[in-house]
Amino acid sequence: MQVIEKSADPEVNLLFYLREVHILFHLTGTKYSCGTGGCGACTVMVSRYDPKAKKIHHYSVTACLVPICSLYGAAVTTIEGIGSIKTRIHPVQERLAKCHGTQCGFCSPGMAMSIYTLLRNHPEPTPDQIMEALGGNLCRCTGYRPIAESGKTFCVESTVCQMKGSGKCCMDQEKVSFVNRQERICTKLYNEDEFQPLDPSQEPIFPPELIRMAEDPNKKRLLFQGEKTTWITPVTLNDLLELKTNYPKAPLVMGNTAVGPSIKFKDEFYPVFISPLGLPELCSMDSTDDGVTIGAGYSLTQLNDALHFIVSKQPKEKTKTYYALLKHLRTLAGTQIRNMATLGGHVVSRPNFSDLNPILAAGNAIINVISKEGERQIPLDGQFLERSPEANLKSEEIVLSVYIPHSTQWHFVSGLRVAQRQENAFAIVNAGMSVKFEENTDTIKDLKIFYGSVGPTVVSANQTCKQLIGRQWDDQMLSDACRLVLDEIHIPPEAEGGMVEYRRTLIISLLFKFYLKVKRGLNKMDPQEFPDIPEKFMSALDNFPLVMPQGIQFFQCVDPRQSPQDPVGRPVMHQSAIKHATGEAVYIDDLPHISQELFLAPVTSTRAHAKIISIDVSEALAHPGVIDVITAEDVPGDNNHEGEVIYAQNEVICVGQIICTVAADTNAHAKDAAKKVKIAYEDIEPRIITIEQALQHNSFLTEEKKIHRGNVEQAFKYVDQTIEGEVHMEGQEHFYMETQTILAIPKHEDKEMVLYLGTQYPTQVQEFVAAALNVPRNRIGCHMKRAGGAFGGKLTKPSLLGAVSAVAANKTGRPIRFILERGDDMLITAGRHPILGKYKIGFMNNGVIKAADVEYYLNGGCTLDLSATVVEMIVLNSESTYDIPNFRCRSRACKTYLPSNTAFRGFSFVQIAVVVENYITAVASQCNLLAEEVKEINMYKRIIKTAYKQTFNPEPLRKCWKECLEKSSFYARKMNAEEFNKNNYWKKRGLAVVPMKFTIGSPETYLNQAAALVHIYLDGSVLVTHGGCEFGQGLYTKMIQVASRELNIPPSYIHLSETSTVTVPNSYFTAGSLGTDVNGKAVQNACQILMARLQPIIRKNPKGRWEDWVAKAYRESISLSTTGYFRGYHTYMDWEKEEGEPQAYCVFGASCSEVEIDCLTGAYKLLRTDIFLDIAFSINPALDVGQVEGAFAQGVGLYTREELKYSPEGVLYSRSPEDYKIPTVTEIPEEFYITLVRSRNPIAIYSSKGLGEVGMVLGSSVFSAIRDAVTAARIERGLTKTFTLNSPATAEVIRMNCMDQFSDMIPRDDPSTFTPWSIHVS
């Protein structure tokens, strides 16, 4: 489709244009998730014709950063353009769906577009290219394995996995031998034979008109005038220089990866933009005998390609700078950002975290700048990077190109970086270093050291380098260099970004890595003259590889006697998977706009605890497009319902609390006006932020809950040893891909209100809205079709936000669309509870634990939310998998002035795992036993009662544990790891096996109830409705499977439309892994009632068709509609007596993980994970495996990567994918095996078990494996092997626990002398 936009606004980006602006479009397949380009949900393909090369270039971009004005002459392909269920789906979309690579589906269009763009450039990609293409896309649901696997199906390489380079299929290995031959075990979740082939000749052609436009020799300057800004695209270099002279403060915009975020997040404003896209002088490369000159307009991807070309043509000694740049380019940002960002933009913006500038400076690069006055050169050195005035560009100058000289034989150049994850993450510390030696010697002739992320700019260690000139490259030089560089580069204790001691350690750790690399290089040049580095140090030079994950999923095959029509037990694709992959699955913000609809923007508190002195909304009301400002005074009913305040009034109790909202005609107007609301505060003391502060002030949200058995105090008197300790675990952000989104529509009669939203608990939304509006609940209809992820974050929070929206809709009388920006969502809705665990353990020398006294304190935040439930669940599950005869657990939730923490997948279990693993490992350490031996010694062995006197059978637990140890080859691999550790000083491997007992069911029967409504229509089609909510877990798919079996009809006859309070009232939340259990029983009940009604007709005509039976029933006045009901599992808990049966059943499992850590940096690589899970019977193995893998990846993030940073004043810093790092495709195990172990669970539907959360807990095996690796490092360094490992075990935590001569060298500050930038709130 040709698009001519005569009034393009420079402030409008491509994503907004596709979704909102163009009247013919409303292309909602491209999703809005973060707005920073950091998640990939809005990925599209841009194609341009290069008239010089006569080639068409296809590249992926994040549409949220692409100004619409920059697309003149470009072709844009969105997810809708490659395939649709209405016409024909593309092989990429088909395979993503059929490989089960979608769950919630919100990230799926972006994933599909990343793979599609790769295939347009490389129809037969390599696995490495697939991994690289997906590196800029985030997924919170799947765990990435099936997404990567769907991409790999396009690779020409053998589909045999070639594990470990052996050339053998992993299916032939010992891994399969354990299978009980009486059970048929399957390992394929999809059939590749169903895939349609990829035919590149069938792709859309590039529009010939765009080729003619690109080749037009008479191009004219483009000018676009927006509401507030002007966009100018020059067509010649002279034109550009003229514009820069006339508008010296105008930024040059090519990729918009720096200017765009600065406008959105720093409120910078530019009246004029100059965009020199496509100017030949900026997009050229010139290679000479001395080096290469690369145009400033080269994207980082083009730079990468150019450097690869140069490296292939030049001898290795000349390409050391290029190799260093290439290594960093692979992991810098994601593919989309590398396709957009330019070399010139990166160089001239000089970010303090730059990965490339330190290397360019170390390699003696020169910047060629030009203006109307002429050309000149600026050395890309310390002065330039540190923004010295004399080295800056003049306002009228632009960067024309960058010259990078070749390296020489006695010249070594290296780039080093450490980040929170392997790719698509800003560096914590990075460096560019180079050294030149006098020929044939190791005498330093020239030395350059540059560091990023250690100050406000990239920093040069110039004085250090000067003092080392003439020194020999030996250990004494290294020691002096470390001391000198620490003296020269000072990171103040209160420095922005925190991690001060860690960053100081990295400064010299990276210097040591460079030292080793150079020593190794000198040895290769002349082994006789220059000694090699010790063999044990060799692995310090290696980076962790980025490889395609491999794995197998083992599950029970369907009984061959089962009817082919019966879908139960089969790996059925998610019922919305194709729609996910084509972008046709509709989410709340995809709904078409309604007449007179308004957008809502929140104004939130900037203080943790303060009185509101005044609210001045006058400036906001005067802003264009603003209709009203809504405050607490506009709430007609209850503004404080169940302790949750809708709009703050008189007082604020956390940073991020909603004080008022602005309703305007556009989202942009609402957000701009919200910034103009002025609020005056008066702080209130105390300001309690952390658990420790809450304990000091006796500030609690709940009473203490406890359980005990035996006599703990008495038992401590008769043990061989006791240990005591504390464990801290920080919180976690849900980071669902679709932020909280609500559409509230007021009706014109009877005070009715209809809400469309993504929620796990429509009934509570209905309750809060009704209370806020002071109307009966029957006037409020809540509709929920799907949500783009939830994980507990859409359980209680949508109720509050729904009430906020409904009050605004009520006051204005107009529909309200309320879409939280990612930063606001993270700030307002909070997440998982941080905890402080305290323990005292008594045990015998043989590892038998006789007594345990454990306390858990939770940071609940400012209101109760679900903290009381989390406290109860912690206490009830605190024994974990261990039979400790004298046991006591107590827990309370602390009240702090942070946003209220809430439900999160696996809550209580994941916190317990950290505390329990710490004290079990401590016992093992004291007894000189393996942790796994202590676990087995103390594990439940027979049918037994818990501390609260509920009987359970641990036999499935023992089975999973035994099979995990055996089939993962744990003991053999443990020996191999020990051998590796003996031979490697700076890299260590660790293994750990973690058992799991996960209880299912709420402690009161009524909390487990569910209802369903089933209609049979006269054509035989069936509509199923129930109270469960679909947010990616496949609940709707499983309900179709249940109805299909019970009604004995094909799944194609059955449809689920949505969950609604109008059709199924009073439903309880969809959480706690109970969705299929309870709703499945309700649907089954309804279907059985209907079948009972049809039985007399079927008996009379047993060979008839379903449609005939339905028609006959109707003619006989038999109702074809009914409700189904499940009363709930019989559970109860008496807290006075500390006894009950609060859970319905248990899911058992075990996980073995192996990691390798870099002791110098704290980085780690997850090598392999084996999971054995007692699932009883799987209704849908594909969905169940997906849930386990996705939860496991989320657990790995929780325990090792994801870190929330708070200021001492309670301000959350981590509010975007740039600040908060969830796992990417490279974070999952290189080898990943999942086995679904068969057992029986007659209490649940079809003997199944709820699996939505269990994988989270099994992620703790990675945490424990890291501990094992750190322990190996500590033992070798003569440190105590008993230590506390707090969670998350980030690179900082790992490195600072592997103490060595470098960590000992750094200066340390007295904590009483400064206020740190960030604090832990546990």
Side-chain angles (χ1 to χ4, degrees):
M1 177 194 298
Q2 183 187 52
V3 178
I4 298 174
E5 181 59 67
K6 294 182 179 179
S7 56
D9 189 330
E11 293 185 282
V12 171
N13 61 51
L14 174 59
L15 178 61
F16 184 74
Y17 187 79
L18 292 171
R19 293 179 60 88
E20 309 287 350
V21 174
H22 200 286
I23 194 168
L24 297 177
F25 286 177
H26 194 61
L27 296 177
T28 57
T30 307
K31 304 303 181 190
Y32 179 78
S33 182
C34 73
T36 66
C39 73
C42 63
T43 300
V44 300
M45 184 178 82
V46 173
S47 305
R48 292 185 186 273
Y49 178 73
D50 181 350
K52 183 178 179 182
K54 305 292 183 184
K55 286 184 177 179
I56 297 163
H57 295 288
H58 306 290
Y59 54 97
S60 58
V61 301
T62 48
C64 67
L65 288 181
V66 178
I68 193 69
C69 294
S70 70
L71 293 170
Y72 179 79
V76 177
T77 305
T78 69
I79 191 69
E80 293 90 348
I82 72 172
S84 166
I85 55 176
K86 299 182 182 74
T87 53
R88 173 179 175 272
I89 64 171
H90 192 276
V92 168
Q93 298 166 320
E94 178 196 35
R95 298 186 194 190
L96 182 63
K98 291 184 176 178
C99 290
H100 312 290
T102 83
Q103 285 187 26
C104 85
F106 204 80
C107 73
S108 302
M111 294 286 182
M113 288 308 301
S114 289
I115 299 173
Y116 174 80
T117 307
L118 173 66
L119 295 178
R120 290 300 301 268
N121 292 312
H122 303 280
E124 295 181 341
T126 66
D128 286 346
Q129 287 175 322
I130 294 289
M131 290 292 283
E132 187 170 356
L134 294 173
N137 292 76
L138 298 180
C139 174
R140 197 54 156 162
C141 294
T142 65
Y144 297 102
R145 193 272 314 160
I147 298 173
E149 200 167 286
S150 76
K152 192 181 177 185
T153 63
F154 294 102
C155 298
V156 291
E157 296 183 6
S158 168
T159 54
V160 175
C161 69
Q162 312 268 323
M163 296 294 294
K164 295 296 183 187
S166 66
K168 296 180 181 178
C169 176
C170 49
M171 290 291 293
D172 298 330
Q173 297 180 10
E174 141 189 44
K175 181 75 187 159
V176 185
S177 65
F178 75 92
V179 173
N180 182 340
R181 296 305 173 187
Q182 295 177 353
E183 296 181 355
R184 290 184 63 246
I185 299 298
C186 288
T187 58
K188 260 312 199 184
L189 294 168
Y190 56 88
N191 182 3
E192 291 181 353
D193 295 337
E194 295 179 358
F195 297 161
Q196 56 178 314
L198 176 69
D199 184 355
S201 68
Q202 297 303 303
E203 301 297 351
I205 64 168
F206 187 79
E209 185 175 345
L210 296 184
I211 296 177
R212 291 193 295 271
M213 287 171 59
E215 292 181 335
D216 182 1
N218 300 312
K219 296 186 181 74
K220 296 179 180 178
R221 177 194 285 187
L222 297 175
L223 187 146
F224 299 105
Q225 185 68 52
E227 185 180 342
K228 295 183 288 185
T229 58
T230 302
W231 180 283
I232 308 172
T233 301
V235 292
T236 66
L237 181 59
N238 285 334
D239 192 16
L240 169 61
L241 299 179
E242 182 77 33
L243 286 168
K244 197 69 176 102
T245 301
N246 294 337
Y247 303 103
K249 293 185 179 179
L252 298 190
V253 179
M254 297 186 77
N256 201 42
T257 57
V259 174
S262 73
I263 293 171
K264 179 167 183 174
F265 298 106
K266 297 180 182 177
D267 292 328
E268 294 184 7
F269 175 73
Y270 302 99
V272 176
F273 299 99
I274 302 172
S275 178
L277 273 170
L279 281 187
E281 294 87 346
L282 299 182
C283 300
S284 61
M285 182 183 79
D286 180 34
S287 187
T288 66
D289 291 340
D290 298 322
V292 61
T293 301
I294 296 177
Y298 260 44
S299 71
L300 298 187
T301 297
Q302 290 172 314
L303 172 64
N304 183 73
D305 294 342
L307 293 177
H308 273 294
F309 175 78
I310 295 163
V311 162
S312 70
K313 300 296 183 184
Q314 295 290 342
K316 197 166 186 178
E317 67 182 40
K318 290 188 174 184
T319 60
K320 295 167 190 171
T321 305
Y322 311 141
Y323 271 112
L325 288 166
L326 284 170
K327 187 183 79 168
H328 280 230
L329 281 166
R330 171 60 184 88
T331 57
L332 189 156
T335 300
Q336 299 93 323
I337 298 298
R338 294 197 295 271
N339 288 336
M340 300 163 69
T342 60
L343 173 61
H346 186 88
V347 166
V348 80
S349 62
R350 290 172 284 185
N352 71 323
F353 52 79
S354 169
D355 284 326
L356 302 186
N357 284 349
I359 300 171
L360 290 168
N364 299 306
I366 294 173
I367 306 168
N368 297 309
V369 301
I370 188 171
S371 69
K372 289 190 71 176
E373 304 301 317
E375 295 187 44
R376 69 184 181 106
Q377 285 71 46
I378 299 177
L380 207 168
D381 57 11
Q383 279 196 314
F384 174 76
L385 293 177
E386 292 170 7
R387 300 179 184 270
S388 296
E390 59 269 24
N392 276 338
L393 272 73
K394 298 173 185 176
S395 60
E396 68 274 13
E397 288 180 325
I398 67 158
V399 176
L400 185 65
S401 59
V402 177
Y403 169 70
I404 312 172
H406 294 326
S407 56
T408 58
Q409 184 178 12
W410 294 91
H411 182 202
F412 296 87
V413 184
S414 189
L416 306 105
R417 77 189 302 269
V418 183
Q420 196 72 353
R421 64 185 180 209
Q422 273 191 284
E423 66 177 337
N424 199 7
F426 292 138
I428 297 169
V429 171
N430 62 317
M433 302 182 188
S434 69
V435 61
K436 280 184 182 177
F437 294 108
E438 302 286 356
E439 282 201 26
N440 300 311
T441 74
D442 64 352
T443 302
I444 299 170
K445 181 180 180 181
D446 185 46
L447 179 64
K448 295 182 185 296
I449 301 174
F450 299 90
Y451 288 103
S453 296
V454 296
T457 67
V458 171
V459 176
S460 168
N462 192 44
Q463 295 305 313
T464 297
C465 295
K466 283 181 180 178
Q467 293 186 58
L468 295 173
I469 301 296
R471 296 282 299 272
Q472 289 191 303
W473 198 259
D474 55 22
D475 289 354
Q476 186 57 52
M477 184 282 303
L478 171 68
S479 179
D480 292 343
C482 290
R483 176 178 52 79
L484 289 168
V485 79
L486 285 173
D487 287 341
E488 183 173 2
I489 299 177
H490 174 66
I491 305 176
E494 69 282 353
E496 183 177 344
M499 301 182 285
V500 171
E501 291 185 358
Y502 175 47
R503 288 195 282 167
R504 289 171 179 169
T505 305
L506 287 179
I507 286 174
I508 51 177
S509 295
L510 296 183
L511 179 58
F512 176 60
K513 277 184 173 267
F514 179 62
Y515 170 77
L516 292 178
K517 185 173 183 179
V518 172
K519 288 277 283 186
R520 182 94 173 106
L522 288 169
N523 173 259
K524 285 183 177 179
M525 292 171 67
D526 189 345
Q528 303 301 318
E529 182 67 25
F530 306 112
D532 204 350
I533 65 175
E535 186 70 28
K536 290 184 71 170
F537 285 16
M538 288 291 185
S539 61
L541 303 178
D542 300 330
N543 293 312
F544 292 128
L546 301 171
V547 298
M548 174 72 75
Q550 310 282 0
I552 318 173
Q553 303 82 45
F554 299 90
F555 58 96
Q556 187 177 26
C557 300
V558 169
D559 189 324
R561 295 167 295 181
Q562 182 172 316
S563 166
Q565 177 181 285
D566 183 355
V568 172
R570 302 183 193 278
V572 178
M573 180 176 65
H574 193 291
Q575 57 105 20
S576 291
I578 297 291
K579 289 183 286 187
H580 291 158
T582 62
E584 290 166 286
V586 177
Y587 300 84
I588 303 305
D589 195 34
D590 299 337
L591 294 171
H593 290 291
I594 303 167
S595 175
Q596 292 194 308
E597 178 181 290
L598 299 176
F599 290 83
L600 205 64
V603 178
T604 58
S605 168
T606 58
R607 305 291 180 88
H609 190 200
K611 288 181 181 178
I612 300 174
I613 303 302
S614 65
I615 304 174
D616 181 358
V617 302
S618 56
E619 199 175 336
L621 286 170
H623 191 77
V626 170
I627 303 301
D628 212 337
V629 175
I630 297 91
T631 68
E633 294 177 357
D634 299 310
V635 180
D638 191 354
N639 188 47
N640 185 334
H641 186 66
E642 301 290 334
E644 299 294 333
V645 177
I646 298 170
Y647 285 94
Q649 190 171 23
N650 302 324
E651 181 182 348
V652 292
I653 51 176
C654 69
V655 175
Q657 186 176 10
I658 294 175
I659 297 173
C660 61
T661 55
V662 177
D665 59 349
T666 70
N667 206 15
H669 283 155
K671 288 189 289 186
D672 288 345
K675 296 172 186 174
K676 298 180 182 299
V677 174
K678 294 180 173 61
I679 301 170
Y681 303 94
E682 181 182 303
D683 287 331
I684 302 173
E685 293 296 334
R687 183 180 60 211
I688 300 169
I689 306 300
T690 70
I691 291 176
E692 290 177 356
Q693 290 169 351
L695 295 178
Q696 290 168 11
H697 289 90
N698 201 30
S699 177
F700 296 102
L701 289 166
T702 66
E703 295 299 315
E704 181 180 273
K705 286 285 195 278
K706 71 181 179 73
I707 59 166
H708 80 281
R709 70 170 172 178
N711 189 326
V712 174
E713 279 80 10
Q714 190 69 13
F716 277 126
K717 298 176 182 178
Y718 299 99
V719 295
D720 294 334
Q721 300 184 59
T722 60
I723 53 170
E724 295 185 54
E726 286 188 0
V727 185
H728 293 264
M729 182 179 187
E730 296 304 307
Q732 185 180 25
E733 161 61 30
H734 299 95
F735 212 95
Y736 28 69
M737 296 304 291
E738 178 196 30
T739 61
Q740 303 270 0
T741 307
I742 296 148
L743 179 59
I745 306 170
K747 297 299 182 178
H748 295 301
E749 54 184 322
D750 300 326
K751 297 184 178 180
E752 290 186 4
M753 182 81 67
V754 176
L755 292 96
Y756 295 89
L757 72 169
T759 177
Q760 297 172 248
Y761 200 178
T763 297
Q764 193 187 65
V765 177
Q766 181 189 45
E767 173 193 345
F768 271 61
V769 171
L773 299 184
N774 196 25
V775 299
R777 293 194 196 184
N778 62 6
R779 309 299 168 88
I780 310 300
C782 296
H783 298 263
M784 157 66 182
K785 189 175 183 70
R786 63 171 60 87
F791 318 115
K794 293 178 180 174
L795 203 158
T796 62
K797 300 302 181 180
S799 304
L800 190 64
L801 297 169
V804 167
S805 308
V807 168
N810 179 72
K811 185 184 182 189
T812 61
R814 294 167 65 170
I816 290 289
R817 192 176 293 248
F818 189 21
I819 311 156
L820 282 187
E821 291 283 337
R822 175 64 61 187
D824 287 334
D825 192 297
M826 295 179 74
L827 178 69
I828 293 168
T829 65
R832 190 184 299 281
H833 291 74
I835 63 111
L836 167 62
K838 299 183 178 185
Y839 60 81
K840 180 180 180 182
I841 310 296
F843 55 97
M844 310 307 289
N845 290 332
N846 63 0
V848 175
I849 299 175
K850 293 292 188 181
D853 192 3
V854 191
E855 295 175 89
Y856 291 87
Y857 294 99
L858 285 62
N859 192 325
C862 58
T863 64
L864 185 59
D865 200 276
L866 287 175
S867 291
T869 305
V870 180
V871 164
E872 291 182 3
M873 293 293 285
I874 280 182
V875 172
L876 291 173
N877 295 289
S878 57
E879 294 169 284
S880 187
T881 56
Y882 304 110
D883 181 11
I884 301 174
N886 302 283
F887 182 87
R888 178 169 60 207
C889 178
R890 292 167 287 182
S891 181
R892 289 188 82 175
C894 297
K895 179 178 180 178
T896 62
Y897 294 106
L898 290 176
S900 299
N901 288 305
T902 188
F904 201 132
R905 193 180 203 172
F907 73 55
S908 80
F909 296 93
V910 295
Q911 289 102 329
I912 291 166
V914 167
V915 176
V916 172
E917 283 298 303
N918 264 285
Y919 68 65
I920 288 286
T921 309
V923 170
S925 176
Q926 294 298 110
C927 298
N928 290 314
L929 295 169
L930 286 178
E932 285 67 27
E933 292 173 327
V934 172
K935 291 171 187 177
E936 184 148 359
I937 288 168
N938 292 285
M939 196 179 298
Y940 290 113
K941 297 179 177 62
R942 64 188 186 283
I943 296 175
I944 196 169
K945 288 188 176 183
T946 63
Y948 48 88
K949 300 178 178 60
Q950 182 167 9
T951 302
F952 79 99
N953 183 357
E955 189 268 333
L957 168 65
R958 304 289 302 181
K959 181 179 179 182
C960 289
W961 174 259
K962 181 173 180 290
E963 290 192 357
C964 189
L965 287 173
E966 291 177 4
K967 310 315 172 188
S968 69
S969 305
F970 170 76
Y971 287 107
R973 287 168 54 211
K974 181 71 175 172
M975 290 177 62
N976 292 340
E978 288 172 356
E979 186 65 23
F980 176 91
N981 293 341
K982 285 179 188 175
N983 297 325
N984 294 273
Y985 189 83
W986 298 110
K987 292 268 180 72
K988 297 296 178 186
R989 288 186 177 172
L991 277 87
V993 183
V994 171
M996 180 199 68
K997 167 178 165 268
F998 194 102
T999 57
I1000 301 292
S1002 297
E1004 295 186 67
T1005 297
Y1006 82 92
L1007 300 179
N1008 302 312
Q1009 66 180 296
L1013 177 63
V1014 178
H1015 302 315
I1016 303 174
Y1017 293 93
L1018 293 182
D1019 62 353
S1021 63
V1022 175
L1023 179 66
V1024 176
T1025 309
H1026 54 82
C1029 298
E1030 172 66 51
F1031 31 83
Q1033 80 278 40
L1035 176 61
Y1036 280 18
T1037 308
K1038 286 185 175 181
M1039 294 306 98
I1040 289 172
Q1041 290 177 272
V1042 170
S1044 173
R1045 167 174 279 191
E1046 295 299 330
L1047 298 176
N1048 196 22
I1049 56 176
S1052 59
Y1053 281 44
I1054 303 162
H1055 178 63
L1056 274 83
S1057 176
E1058 65 172 8
T1059 299
S1060 165
T1061 57
V1062 175
T1063 51
V1064 178
N1066 310 321
S1067 61
Y1068 214 66
F1069 52 65
T1070 306
S1073 303
L1074 277 168
T1076 297
D1077 282 44
V1078 299
N1079 292 290
K1081 285 278 193 179
V1083 170
Q1084 181 186 45
N1085 176 241
C1087 292
Q1088 288 174 350
I1089 291 171
L1090 290 169
M1091 285 303 287
R1093 292 175 185 172
L1094 291 173
Q1095 275 308 308
I1097 292 171
I1098 295 172
R1099 281 196 294 269
K1100 291 177 183 177
N1101 182 18
K1103 294 184 179 179
R1105 296 164 58 244
W1106 168 258
E1107 291 86 348
D1108 298 334
W1109 298 334
V1110 169
K1112 180 67 172 174
Y1114 182 72
R1115 288 195 297 272
E1116 293 188 8
S1117 298
I1118 295 173
S1119 173
L1120 296 174
S1121 174
T1122 192
T1123 57
Y1125 185 66
F1126 176 56
R1127 185 176 182 274
Y1129 297 122
H1130 178 65
T1131 54
Y1132 70 95
M1133 181 65 196
D1134 187 330
W1135 286 103
E1136 291 292 322
K1137 296 180 180 178
E1138 295 182 25
E1139 63 181 55
E1141 294 189 2
Q1143 288 107 18
Y1145 61 85
C1146 299
V1147 180
F1148 300 102
S1151 175
C1152 175
S1153 289
E1154 180 177 6
V1155 302
E1156 184 176 318
I1157 66 169
D1158 184 331
C1159 302
L1160 283 167
T1161 65
Y1164 86 89
K1165 183 68 178 174
L1166 178 50
L1167 302 176
R1168 173 173 166 177
T1169 293
D1170 298 70
I1171 290 176
F1172 290 78
L1173 204 57
D1174 154 49
I1175 53 90
F1177 171 80
S1178 176
I1179 293 175
N1180 187 325
L1183 296 181
D1184 288 342
V1185 165
Q1187 286 295 287
V1188 174
E1189 288 182 325
F1192 177 81
Q1194 210 168 32
V1196 171
L1198 165 68
Y1199 290 117
T1200 70
R1201 299 286 189 204
E1202 300 176 33
E1203 190 171 21
L1204 290 166
K1205 299 285 184 72
Y1206 291 89
S1207 77
E1209 294 75 35
V1211 178
L1212 177 66
Y1213 291 132
S1214 314
R1215 296 175 60 182
S1216 74
E1218 286 67 49
D1219 308 315
Y1220 186 78
K1221 297 301 177 185
I1222 70 170
T1224 62
V1225 68
T1226 56
E1227 309 297 309
I1228 61 176
E1230 290 183 3
E1231 298 178 55
F1232 199 5
Y1233 304 105
I1234 292 181
T1235 302
L1236 304 183
V1237 180
R1238 183 71 189 268
S1239 65
R1240 284 187 51 75
N1241 185 33
I1243 192 175
I1245 186 164
Y1246 306 145
S1247 193
S1248 64
K1249 288 191 174 183
L1251 297 179
E1253 300 170 276
V1254 294
M1256 287 285 308
V1257 188
L1258 297 176
S1260 65
S1261 62
V1262 180
F1263 178 82
S1264 296
I1266 288 172
R1267 168 196 286 283
D1268 189 50
V1270 171
T1271 300
R1274 291 175 64 88
I1275 290 172
E1276 189 168 26
R1277 288 154 177 73
L1279 303 168
T1280 58
K1281 60 181 181 178
T1282 301
F1283 67 102
T1284 297
L1285 189 67
N1286 293 319
S1287 177
T1290 60
E1292 177 186 15
V1293 170
I1294 294 170
R1295 176 63 182 96
M1296 299 313 286
N1297 273 290
C1298 294
M1299 293 180 283
D1300 53 35
Q1301 65 266 40
F1302 301 113
S1303 60
D1304 290 343
M1305 288 178 70
I1306 65 165
R1308 286 178 162 82
D1309 303 284
D1310 181 350
S1312 66
T1313 62
F1314 66 94
T1315 301
W1317 177 78
S1318 69
I1319 59 172
H1320 291 133
V1321 298
S1322 56

